[in-house]
């Protein structure tokens, strides 16, 4: 599928374009505050690509704004968003939402598939949008890093491929002359990608990581931050002012998470066995 930007106006969708103008105005507003507070704001996925290629805003359906900030400025960035009218999203610890504008910001503090050294290298090598003629003072990943991120996000993190991600990939490859990575992902993880297996995204993420990162991934999955676990289960920390009550609620939430992970694991292996037996009976 070839993406031809000069035909984008002909494919123009009024609702999508109007929504993307709103997203762009929020990116400008947030990036100006980030510049004042010395926060390096890196756009990801569709938000990044529509800023590089404004014509793409006519057809690219954005659901939210995905960003990457360094972990050391994460709380500072969330406070900045709070000042701009954003609130934490219960059940989604990495998101903040502006009710008035109906805009959600999804925040990453690292690219989960990279180790610490490579994350620092990737963040440091991010390119300012002004190099692409934009007036917005935020950053994007280098084209090759951006392409890899979209592949990993779709094939590994979500274990599926959305048509809009395919458009993003085609556009990046055409405009920057990047090599195709699709075969590498499809061949290596064909069994999981081709079959409808519950929770396969969790397993794919674990398999994709190098051995040195698998342990830290398991630890982060089993023992996320207290802030994360409260938001994941839709509970506001400030509702439990008492130290004793706060302690027991925290313990309860961790136990609830571990039990949930155990049941997900059982369900996953049960589905694998069902699939294998079903396949064997057909042969």
């Amino acid at each position: 599928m070839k993406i031809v930007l000069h035909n984008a106006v002909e494919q123009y969708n009024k609702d999508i374009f109007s929504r993307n103008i709103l997203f762009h105005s929020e990116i400008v507003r947030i990036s100006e505050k980030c510049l004042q507070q010395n926060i390096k704001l890196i756009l990801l996925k569709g938000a990044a690509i529509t800023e590089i290629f404004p014509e793409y805003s006519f057809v690219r359906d954005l659901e939210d704004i995905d960003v990457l900030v360094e972990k050391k400025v994460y709380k500072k960035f969330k406070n900045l968003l709070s000042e701009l009218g954003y609130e934490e999203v219960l059940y989604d610890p990495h998101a903040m939402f502006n009710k008035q504008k109906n805009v959600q910001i999804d925040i990453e503090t690292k690219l989960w598939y990279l180790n610490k050294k490579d994350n620092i290298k990737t963040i440091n090598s991010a390119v300012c949008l002004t190099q692409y003629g934009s007036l917005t003072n935020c950053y994007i990943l280098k084209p090759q890093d951006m392409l890899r991120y979209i592949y990993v996000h779709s094939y590994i993190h979500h274990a599926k491929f959305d048509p809009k991600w395919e458009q993003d990939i085609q556009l990046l490859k055409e405009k920057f002359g990047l090599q195709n990575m699709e075969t590498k992902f499809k061949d290596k993880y064909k069994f999981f990608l081709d079959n409808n297996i519950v929770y396969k995204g969790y397993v794919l993420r674990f398999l994709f990581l190098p051995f040195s990162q698998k342990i830290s991934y398991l630890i982060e999955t089993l023992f996320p931050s207290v802030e994360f676990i409260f938001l994941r289960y839709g509970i506001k920390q400030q509702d439990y002012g008492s130290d004793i009550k706060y302690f027991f609620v925290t313990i309860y939430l961790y136990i609830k998470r571990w039990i949930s992970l155990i049941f997900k694991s059982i369900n996953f292996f049960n589905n694998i066995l069902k699939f294998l037996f079903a396949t064997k009976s057909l042969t």
Side-chain angles (χ1 to χ4, degrees):
M1 175 178 56
K2 189 173 179 63
I3 308 298
V4 185
L5 287 186
H6 65 259
N7 288 337
V9 178
E10 297 174 13
Q11 305 167 41
Y12 164 67
N13 182 302
K14 182 178 179 181
D15 292 334
I16 288 177
F17 185 59
S18 299
R19 182 94 175 124
N20 288 346
I21 288 177
L22 172 62
F23 278 126
H24 172 71
S25 66
E26 280 302 282
I27 289 170
V28 172
R29 194 166 74 109
I30 294 167
S31 66
E32 287 175 350
K33 288 289 185 180
C34 285
L35 186 64
Q36 293 171 12
Q37 298 191 28
N38 198 29
I39 295 173
K40 188 173 186 177
L41 179 67
I42 302 175
L43 300 177
L44 300 171
K45 294 170 21 187
I49 301 175
T50 53
E51 288 296 316
I52 308 173
F53 307 111
E55 310 96 308
Y56 197 36
S57 296
F58 286 103
V59 294
R60 178 54 159 91
D61 187 10
L62 295 179
E63 296 176 0
D64 47 36
I65 301 171
D66 293 277
V67 302
L68 171 67
V69 296
E70 293 179 274
K71 190 173 183 178
K72 63 184 179 183
V73 297
Y74 175 65
K75 289 187 177 180
K76 186 178 179 181
F77 180 64
K78 289 186 73 174
N79 290 337
L80 178 155
L81 290 178
S82 295
E83 292 172 5
L84 294 175
Y86 287 81
E87 299 176 354
E88 289 182 328
V89 179
L90 296 179
Y91 303 105
D92 193 348
H94 299 300
M96 294 194 74
F97 184 72
N98 188 313
K99 292 179 181 177
Q100 184 179 358
K101 296 180 178 291
N102 193 29
V103 173
Q104 180 164 308
I105 311 291
D106 283 351
I107 311 166
E108 300 287 349
T109 56
K110 64 178 181 179
L111 302 180
W112 63 268
Y113 51 90
L114 297 180
N115 59 34
K116 185 177 180 180
K117 181 180 177 181
D118 287 338
N119 259 295
I120 293 172
K121 183 179 177 181
T122 302
I123 289 172
N124 288 341
S125 66
V127 183
C128 186
L129 274 170
T130 54
Q131 292 191 30
Y132 292 95
S134 172
L135 299 177
T136 310
N137 289 300
C138 49
Y139 292 76
I140 59 166
L141 300 176
K142 290 194 303 184
Q144 188 68 35
D145 293 333
M146 197 188 316
L147 181 67
R148 188 182 184 211
Y149 174 80
I150 297 172
Y151 270 117
V152 173
H153 183 77
S154 56
Y155 279 115
I156 306 300
H157 187 83
H158 286 287
K160 65 177 183 179
F161 211 68
D162 191 298
K164 65 185 177 185
W165 297 332
E166 184 178 359
Q167 289 183 353
D168 294 346
I169 285 171
Q170 292 301 325
L171 182 58
L172 288 173
K173 288 194 296 186
E174 288 170 18
K175 291 297 181 181
F176 295 107
L178 302 175
Q179 292 184 343
N180 187 19
M181 301 180 185
E182 189 171 341
T183 304
K184 180 173 68 174
F185 284 94
K186 279 190 172 181
D187 290 350
K188 193 169 184 179
Y189 305 106
K190 181 177 175 60
F191 173 78
F192 290 100
L193 293 171
D194 290 350
N195 297 291
N196 186 22
I197 302 168
V198 293
Y199 307 124
K200 61 183 179 180
Y202 291 98
V203 178
L204 278 172
R205 277 171 251 168
F206 181 77
L207 292 174
F208 183 76
L209 289 171
F211 180 78
S212 59
Q213 289 175 247
K214 291 187 192 297
I215 301 301
S216 60
Y217 175 78
L218 287 175
I219 292 172
E220 288 179 11
T221 302
L222 292 170
F223 303 99
S225 69
V226 174
E227 179 187 9
F228 175 95
I229 204 149
F230 267 78
L231 286 172
R232 172 61 75 195
Y233 290 106
I235 300 175
K236 295 182 179 179
Q237 286 179 275
Q238 56 267 34
D239 291 344
Y240 294 90
S242 165
D243 290 340
I244 296 176
K245 189 182 291 186
Y246 181 82
F247 172 78
F248 281 109
V249 170
T250 304
I251 295 298
Y252 162 74
L253 292 177
Y254 275 107
I255 292 172
K256 184 176 180 178
R257 178 172 179 81
W258 298 333
I259 292 172
S260 172
L261 289 172
I262 289 170
F263 276 105
K264 285 179 179 179
S265 300
I266 293 170
N267 201 352
F268 169 77
F269 285 112
N270 184 47
N271 273 269
I272 287 285
L273 290 173
K274 282 182 179 179
F275 175 80
L276 291 175
F277 280 121
T279 304
K280 188 176 180 180
S281 65
L282 293 173
T283 57

